[in-house]
Amino acid sequence: MKTIKLGSSLTLFAFSIILSFAHSFVTTPFSTRGKSLQNAAYSVLQSQLQNSTFTEASLESVELSSTKHYVRKAKYMELGHVVDILIDAFYNPSELIRPYLYLSELSRLQGNFPYNEDEHMFFVACTLDEKNNEKIIGFVDVDIRKPRKESDAPRPYLSDLAVHLEYRRQGVAKSLIRQCEQQSIAWGKTHLYLRVGEKNDGALLMYSSLDYKKQEHHYFGKGRDTTILLKRDFQREKEVTNDKTVEFVPDFVI
């Protein structure tokens, strides 16, 4: 009997069909069987990602119109919707790779879900559709937990900022950023860090308009790393405005 290797196109195609069906139930915590499926998919994903081309999303630099939206804490059961937004924002995978990438990203977010709000938060931006149903249109992570390795950014750190393709350039990203700034201040911090691709001109322009400044770092922007570390210093701005605290308010906050 001829054995077909796992990396063959036929096997990958079969896995993609199976995982496409799995997509409908993995938004809930994994069962033992679901976890095994995820682990198998993750292993295949690792070997295949090298052959895929990923591009970083370009965040809005100009607001074309305003969408009524609000920012609130994310819920665990919503992470499946968040993953779809992240994949569309940060990657450009083939239809074959997307199911594996979905499970990998879902596992990452589930494993990193913040249970201690004194040091870590997930936020989502939401709007209401024509039937008054809530729709998640953006996501962000803000974290003050102590870095564990050299490649970890300084804290507080904003990451995974992503906006649904249909709602870009409408102020959603800025609302999520402002919410993270408010949360950092609530934690007693005087600044906020984030990273952006050095060639992501749209995002760099937006962050510059929000007073984020480039920071020199021993890891970021060195060697194979192509990101730039940015920082907004609230304390410095407070001093410049004669100790008048600037209040950051998104469109709506829950």
Side-chain angles (χ1 to χ4, degrees):
M1 179 181 294
K2 183 178 180 180
T3 301
I4 300 176
K5 294 183 179 180
L6 186 60
S8 69
S9 298
L10 180 59
T11 304
L12 286 174
F13 178 71
F15 263 85
S16 68
I17 295 175
I18 294 171
L19 293 177
S20 295
F21 284 104
H23 185 287
S24 62
F25 66 80
V26 292
T27 54
T28 59
F30 283 115
S31 63
T32 302
R33 182 175 59 182
K35 189 68 176 179
S36 298
L37 176 62
Q38 177 216 7
N39 290 337
Y42 184 78
S43 298
V44 177
L45 172 65
Q46 294 303 310
S47 64
Q48 293 297 314
L49 289 184
Q50 297 177 353
N51 298 322
S52 297
T53 301
F54 297 113
T55 58
E56 185 174 3
S58 177
L59 298 176
E60 59 256 39
S61 58
V62 179
E63 289 186 24
L64 299 182
S65 61
S66 178
T67 294
K68 289 185 178 181
H69 59 277
Y70 53 90
V71 176
R72 63 167 174 78
K73 293 184 292 185
K75 302 173 185 177
Y76 186 89
M77 300 297 290
E78 298 169 335
L79 296 182
H81 299 293
V82 169
V83 169
D84 281 326
I85 294 174
L86 288 174
I87 292 176
D88 290 335
F90 292 105
Y91 306 96
N92 184 28
S94 67
E95 290 302 314
L96 182 65
I97 293 298
R98 188 180 181 101
Y100 308 119
L101 187 58
Y102 179 92
L103 289 178
S104 174
E105 284 292 278
L106 181 61
S107 176
R108 179 179 70 85
L109 290 185
Q110 288 178 329
N112 195 37
F113 188 79
Y115 291 101
N116 183 357
E117 295 181 0
D118 291 333
E119 59 181 14
H120 187 205
M121 293 284 286
F122 281 179
F123 291 108
V124 290
C126 304
T127 190
L128 300 178
D129 63 19
E130 62 277 1
K131 295 183 179 180
N132 216 36
N133 296 318
E134 185 180 68
K135 179 180 181 180
I136 294 175
I137 59 174
F139 174 77
V140 73
D141 179 336
V142 62
D143 190 357
I144 61 169
R145 293 174 297 178
K146 185 178 180 180
R148 297 181 179 181
K149 54 185 183 296
E150 182 185 24
S151 58
D152 286 343
R155 290 346 188 214
Y157 180 58
L158 179 159
S159 63
D160 280 339
L161 175 63
V163 176
H164 191 287
L165 294 173
E166 296 178 7
Y167 295 91
R168 293 184 181 173
R169 298 188 178 183
Q170 298 180 45
V172 178
K174 289 183 180 179
S175 291
L176 288 164
I177 294 168
R178 293 307 194 194
Q179 184 62 37
C180 291
E181 291 172 343
Q182 286 186 324
Q183 186 60 55
S184 296
I185 291 172
W187 282 329
K189 304 302 180 181
T190 60
H191 55 269
L192 180 63
Y193 289 97
L194 57 87
R195 289 164 57 208
V196 63
E198 62 183 5
K199 295 182 179 180
N200 193 338
D201 296 332
L204 288 168
L205 181 61
M206 181 186 70
Y207 290 127
S208 177
S209 72
L210 297 175
D211 296 324
Y212 283 85
K213 310 296 183 184
K214 181 179 179 180
Q215 304 293 306
E216 291 298 326
H217 194 271
H218 67 278
Y219 183 87
F220 305 121
K222 311 293 183 182
R224 294 184 178 181
D225 187 89
T226 59
T227 62
I228 297 173
L229 183 67
L230 301 179
K231 176 185 179 182
R232 183 172 187 182
D233 192 334
F234 310 133
Q235 185 64 35
R236 179 185 61 79
E237 294 170 7
K238 182 179 179 181
E239 293 171 354
V240 170
T241 56
N242 297 320
D243 292 334
K244 292 182 180 179
T245 303
V246 178
E247 195 171 341
F248 308 119
V249 183
D251 291 2
F252 300 95
V253 180
I254 291 181

